């Protein structure tokens, strides 16, 4: 789009503002674009709210808009719609929805962050398109906007010129991807390094985190097991050892775990270890053998088998994919 265009043609990014917006939905992407400018990109950043009104964020901070949403004219490179968890209030704001709809028509691409998918969906522009939002809100988006094809797991989804991201910090992932698209991976990587964030987070929302999305158990024994495995995935978590550690029989632990977590102890341990290995592969350069030992798999071959079975790729391939923000487009067969 703007790659190699130089600073004579700035890419205009308009960030929509409205009351009770998530502060990080706004500042996260804007910081990415600002950091990219320091690395050779050329973005012009503009904030716009209905009537150019100051808005109050969820964090209690007030943000002043540069311009009224309805007064932005000309070609917009990227329109970004952040979110508020009380999405019903956002979609009932007629001036906001009208302003987003009008600006989307002027924009080369349109992005939403977290619950920002709701006001974007309210314009009708996501009808028939794939979209992402925060995992806690995915069901509500699908129920209230049935013409939107909700992807409940992806960190961000692109369908044509519309890009939508998952919860809060995923707006940073989305912005880095846009920087890579506009000015190349070197600029995006330099911006990510400056901000001390991952270049990308391969995988889906379901991995953030296995412990977090497991059913919340009532029984203290089960909670102890969950916390112990999460705190140290590389420890000995064989079924017999775990049962002995919490003072119950293997049979009782198996029954409790299935009833309260919905999976076996062995399955939970493997999921946590895969998650730990993903983090090590994404953030470091340790050998696969060391990653396997540190995450609890013991050997590179065991790690490889688990990754192939659960993720469909080898650990080496997973690490290689982490070097770019690009998300593969659905194959023709998958699309149909």
């Amino acid at each position: 789009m703007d790659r190699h265009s130089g600073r004579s043609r700035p890419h205009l990014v308009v960030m929509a503002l409205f009351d009770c917006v998530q502060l990080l939905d706004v500042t996260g992407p804007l910081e990415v674009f600002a950091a990219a400018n320091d690395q050779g990109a050329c973005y012009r950043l503009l904030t716009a709210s209905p009537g150019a009104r100051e808005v109050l964020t969820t964090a209690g901070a007030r943000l002043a808009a540069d311009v009224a949403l309805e007064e932005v004219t000309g070609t917009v490179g990227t329109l970004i719609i952040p979110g508020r968890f009380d999405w019903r209030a956002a979609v009932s704001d007629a001036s906001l929805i009208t302003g987003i709809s009008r600006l989307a028509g002027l924009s080369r691409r349109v992005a939403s962050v977290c619950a920002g998918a709701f006001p974007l969906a309210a314009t009708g522009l996501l009808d028939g398109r794939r979209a992402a939002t925060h995992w806690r809100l995915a069901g509500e988006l699908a129920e209230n906007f049935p013409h939107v094809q909700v992807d409940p797991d992806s960190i961000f989804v692109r369908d044509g010129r519309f890009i939508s991201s998952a919860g809060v910090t995923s707006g940073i992932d989305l912005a880095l991807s846009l920087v890579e698209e506009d000015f190349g991976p070197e600029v995006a990587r330099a911006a990510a390094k400056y901000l001390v964030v991952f270049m990308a987070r391969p995988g889906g929302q379901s991995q953030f985190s296995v412990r977090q999305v497991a059913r919340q158990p009532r029984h203290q024994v089960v909670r102890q097991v969950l916390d112990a495995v999460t705190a140290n995935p590389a420890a000995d978590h064989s079924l017999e050892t775990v049962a002995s550690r919490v003072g119950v029989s293997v049979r009782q632990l198996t029954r409790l775990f299935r009833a309260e977590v919905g999976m076996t102890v062995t399955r939970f341990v493997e999921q946590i270890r895969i998650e730990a290995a993903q983090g090590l592969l994404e953030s470091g350069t340790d050998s696969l053998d060391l990653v396997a030992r540190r995450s609890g798999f013991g050997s590179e071959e065991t790690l490889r088998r688990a990754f192939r079975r659960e993720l469909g790729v080898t650990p080496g391939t997973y690490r290689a994919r982490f070097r770019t923000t690009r998300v593969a487009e659905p194959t023709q067969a998958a699309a149909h």
Side-chain angles (χ1 to χ4, degrees), residues 269-287:
V269 170
E270 182 177 68
Q271 290 294 299
I272 288 292
R273 286 174 172 169
I274 288 174
E275 182 179 283
Q278 286 175 304
L280 291 169
L281 290 168
E282 292 167 6
S283 60
T285 58
D286 290 339
S287 68

mmCIF file of all heavy atoms in Angstrom, residues 269-287:
data_model
loop_
_atom_site.group_PDB
_atom_site.id
_atom_site.type_symbol
_atom_site.label_atom_id
_atom_site.label_comp_id
_atom_site.label_asym_id
_atom_site.label_seq_id
_atom_site.Cartn_x
_atom_site.Cartn_y
_atom_site.Cartn_z
ATOM 1 N N VAL A 269 -2.468 -31.480 31.587
ATOM 2 C CA VAL A 269 -1.015 -31.311 31.697
ATOM 3 C C VAL A 269 -0.397 -31.109 30.320
ATOM 4 O O VAL A 269 0.445 -30.220 30.126
ATOM 5 C CB VAL A 269 -0.378 -32.529 32.401
ATOM 6 C CG1 VAL A 269 1.152 -32.470 32.294
ATOM 7 C CG2 VAL A 269 -0.794 -32.579 33.868
ATOM 8 N N GLU A 270 -0.815 -31.907 29.339
ATOM 9 C CA GLU A 270 -0.244 -31.757 27.998
ATOM 10 C C GLU A 270 -0.598 -30.402 27.393
ATOM 11 O O GLU A 270 0.247 -29.759 26.764
ATOM 12 C CB GLU A 270 -0.733 -32.867 27.077
ATOM 13 C CG GLU A 270 -0.117 -32.760 25.685
ATOM 14 C CD GLU A 270 -0.514 -33.895 24.765
ATOM 15 O OE1 GLU A 270 -1.708 -33.962 24.400
ATOM 16 O OE2 GLU A 270 0.366 -34.696 24.405
ATOM 17 N N GLN A 271 -1.831 -29.946 27.594
ATOM 18 C CA GLN A 271 -2.231 -28.651 27.047
ATOM 19 C C GLN A 271 -1.406 -27.516 27.659
ATOM 20 O O GLN A 271 -0.980 -26.593 26.962
ATOM 21 C CB GLN A 271 -3.717 -28.413 27.307
ATOM 22 C CG GLN A 271 -4.647 -29.302 26.488
ATOM 23 C CD GLN A 271 -4.559 -28.986 25.006
ATOM 24 O OE1 GLN A 271 -4.849 -27.881 24.570
ATOM 25 N NE2 GLN A 271 -4.142 -29.965 24.222
ATOM 26 N N ILE A 272 -1.185 -27.580 28.959
ATOM 27 C CA ILE A 272 -0.370 -26.556 29.620
ATOM 28 C C ILE A 272 1.065 -26.606 29.110
ATOM 29 O O ILE A 272 1.701 -25.557 28.886
ATOM 30 C CB ILE A 272 -0.408 -26.746 31.147
ATOM 31 C CG1 ILE A 272 -1.776 -26.335 31.702
ATOM 32 C CG2 ILE A 272 0.706 -25.942 31.831
ATOM 33 C CD1 ILE A 272 -2.083 -24.853 31.608
ATOM 34 N N ARG A 273 1.593 -27.796 28.901
ATOM 35 C CA ARG A 273 2.963 -27.928 28.405
ATOM 36 C C ARG A 273 3.096 -27.414 26.976
ATOM 37 O O ARG A 273 4.106 -26.789 26.623
ATOM 38 C CB ARG A 273 3.416 -29.384 28.517
ATOM 39 C CG ARG A 273 3.725 -29.786 29.950
ATOM 40 C CD ARG A 273 4.028 -31.250 30.110
ATOM 41 N NE ARG A 273 4.506 -31.525 31.488
ATOM 42 C CZ ARG A 273 4.653 -32.739 32.001
ATOM 43 N NH1 ARG A 273 4.379 -33.812 31.253
ATOM 44 N NH2 ARG A 273 5.088 -32.877 33.234
ATOM 45 N N ILE A 274 2.093 -27.651 26.151
ATOM 46 C CA ILE A 274 2.108 -27.100 24.790
ATOM 47 C C ILE A 274 2.109 -25.581 24.853
ATOM 48 O O ILE A 274 2.854 -24.899 24.135
ATOM 49 C CB ILE A 274 0.905 -27.620 23.980
ATOM 50 C CG1 ILE A 274 1.102 -29.097 23.636
ATOM 51 C CG2 ILE A 274 0.709 -26.794 22.704
ATOM 52 C CD1 ILE A 274 -0.090 -29.739 22.975
ATOM 53 N N GLU A 275 1.267 -25.027 25.723
ATOM 54 C CA GLU A 275 1.218 -23.581 25.876
ATOM 55 C C GLU A 275 2.565 -23.024 26.332
ATOM 56 O O GLU A 275 3.038 -21.988 25.833
ATOM 57 C CB GLU A 275 0.137 -23.210 26.896
ATOM 58 C CG GLU A 275 -0.045 -21.722 27.098
ATOM 59 C CD GLU A 275 -1.155 -21.442 28.096
ATOM 60 O OE1 GLU A 275 -2.327 -21.549 27.719
ATOM 61 O OE2 GLU A 275 -0.835 -21.139 29.261
ATOM 62 N N ALA A 276 3.212 -23.721 27.274
ATOM 63 C CA ALA A 276 4.526 -23.287 27.753
ATOM 64 C C ALA A 276 5.558 -23.347 26.637
ATOM 65 O O ALA A 276 6.386 -22.442 26.474
ATOM 66 C CB ALA A 276 4.967 -24.161 28.927
ATOM 67 N N ALA A 277 5.523 -24.420 25.840
ATOM 68 C CA ALA A 277 6.463 -24.555 24.724
ATOM 69 C C ALA A 277 6.235 -23.472 23.677
ATOM 70 O O ALA A 277 7.193 -22.929 23.114
ATOM 71 C CB ALA A 277 6.319 -25.943 24.090
ATOM 72 N N GLN A 278 4.979 -23.131 23.415
ATOM 73 C CA GLN A 278 4.688 -22.053 22.474
ATOM 74 C C GLN A 278 5.337 -20.754 22.927
ATOM 75 O O GLN A 278 5.943 -20.036 22.131
ATOM 76 C CB GLN A 278 3.169 -21.867 22.345
ATOM 77 C CG GLN A 278 2.487 -22.957 21.535
ATOM 78 C CD GLN A 278 0.976 -22.786 21.542
ATOM 79 O OE1 GLN A 278 0.350 -22.725 22.594
ATOM 80 N NE2 GLN A 278 0.383 -22.715 20.368
ATOM 81 N N GLY A 279 5.206 -20.446 24.212
ATOM 82 C CA GLY A 279 5.804 -19.225 24.728
ATOM 83 C C GLY A 279 7.320 -19.220 24.579
ATOM 84 O O GLY A 279 7.914 -18.203 24.204
ATOM 85 N N LEU A 280 7.947 -20.350 24.845
ATOM 86 C CA LEU A 280 9.409 -20.444 24.720
ATOM 87 C C LEU A 280 9.848 -20.307 23.264
ATOM 88 O O LEU A 280 10.859 -19.663 22.964
ATOM 89 C CB LEU A 280 9.892 -21.776 25.298
ATOM 90 C CG LEU A 280 9.762 -21.931 26.815
ATOM 91 C CD1 LEU A 280 10.015 -23.376 27.226
ATOM 92 C CD2 LEU A 280 10.714 -20.990 27.538
ATOM 93 N N LEU A 281 9.094 -20.907 22.356
ATOM 94 C CA LEU A 281 9.441 -20.823 20.935
ATOM 95 C C LEU A 281 9.243 -19.411 20.399
ATOM 96 O O LEU A 281 10.016 -18.934 19.563
ATOM 97 C CB LEU A 281 8.585 -21.812 20.128
ATOM 98 C CG LEU A 281 8.888 -23.296 20.340
ATOM 99 C CD1 LEU A 281 7.791 -24.150 19.718
ATOM 100 C CD2 LEU A 281 10.247 -23.665 19.744
ATOM 101 N N GLU A 282 8.215 -18.741 20.882
ATOM 102 C CA GLU A 282 7.910 -17.399 20.392
ATOM 103 C C GLU A 282 8.909 -16.357 20.887
ATOM 104 O O GLU A 282 9.232 -15.411 20.170
ATOM 105 C CB GLU A 282 6.500 -16.988 20.849
ATOM 106 C CG GLU A 282 5.384 -17.796 20.199
ATOM 107 C CD GLU A 282 4.052 -17.594 20.900
ATOM 108 O OE1 GLU A 282 3.998 -16.747 21.809
ATOM 109 O OE2 GLU A 282 3.086 -18.283 20.545
ATOM 110 N N SER A 283 9.371 -16.532 22.111
ATOM 111 C CA SER A 283 10.139 -15.455 22.733
ATOM 112 C C SER A 283 11.631 -15.710 22.845
ATOM 113 O O SER A 283 12.371 -14.842 23.301
ATOM 114 C CB SER A 283 9.586 -15.185 24.142
ATOM 115 O OG SER A 283 9.696 -16.348 24.946
ATOM 116 N N GLY A 284 12.104 -16.880 22.435
ATOM 117 C CA GLY A 284 13.519 -17.183 22.616
ATOM 118 C C GLY A 284 14.131 -17.949 21.465
ATOM 119 O O GLY A 284 13.478 -18.237 20.456
ATOM 120 N N THR A 285 15.399 -18.281 21.644
ATOM 121 C CA THR A 285 16.147 -19.009 20.612
ATOM 122 C C THR A 285 16.735 -20.300 21.151
ATOM 123 O O THR A 285 17.673 -20.855 20.582
ATOM 124 C CB THR A 285 17.282 -18.121 20.064
ATOM 125 O OG1 THR A 285 18.146 -17.735 21.151
ATOM 126 C CG2 THR A 285 16.729 -16.879 19.374
ATOM 127 N N ASP A 286 16.185 -20.804 22.262
ATOM 128 C CA ASP A 286 16.673 -22.062 22.830
ATOM 129 C C ASP A 286 16.499 -23.196 21.819
ATOM 130 O O ASP A 286 15.579 -23.183 20.989
ATOM 131 C CB ASP A 286 15.895 -22.417 24.100
ATOM 132 C CG ASP A 286 16.218 -21.491 25.259
ATOM 133 O OD1 ASP A 286 17.291 -20.857 25.223
ATOM 134 O OD2 ASP A 286 15.393 -21.395 26.189
ATOM 135 N N SER A 287 17.372 -24.191 21.903
ATOM 136 C CA SER A 287 17.249 -25.359 21.041
ATOM 137 C C SER A 287 15.933 -26.068 21.330
ATOM 138 O O SER A 287 15.362 -25.934 22.425
ATOM 139 C CB SER A 287 18.412 -26.323 21.282
ATOM 140 O OG SER A 287 18.305 -26.891 22.585
#
